[in-house]
Amino acid sequence: MKEMQIKYGCNPHQRPSKIYMKNGELPITVLNGNPSYINFMDALNSWQLVKELKAATGLAAAAS
């Protein structure tokens, strides 16, 4: 099982959270910094938006 500890909030007194896979490796690589729960939620929602937009229009799509 591969896991990554992530920040849960902006306040230093909050306990960290984690993401993990029961089988296999995490499908992500963090290049810089320490991501938070909110960063992952934004990334996953953006990925879904881009995937649906590309399927609907057949054009390249991006989200920020």
Side-chain angles (χ1 to χ4, degrees):
M1 175 172 28
K2 168 94 177 181
E3 66 181 45
M4 176 187 298
Q5 196 170 37
I6 59 175
K7 297 186 301 184
Y8 183 72
C10 294
N11 299 317
H13 70 278
Q14 291 177 308
R15 290 187 351 203
S17 187
K18 68 179 175 180
I19 58 171
Y20 65 93
M21 297 281 293
K22 287 185 178 183
N23 299 314
E25 299 290 316
L26 287 170
I28 59 166
T29 301
V30 176
L31 300 177
N32 190 15
N34 185 15
S36 69
Y37 175 81
I38 298 297
N39 295 136
F40 280 107
M41 294 298 102
D42 288 344
L44 293 171
N45 286 323
S46 296
W47 177 79
Q48 185 66 37
L49 172 67
V50 168
K51 182 180 173 190
E52 291 178 11
L53 187 58
K54 185 175 180 182
T57 65
L59 300 171
S64 174

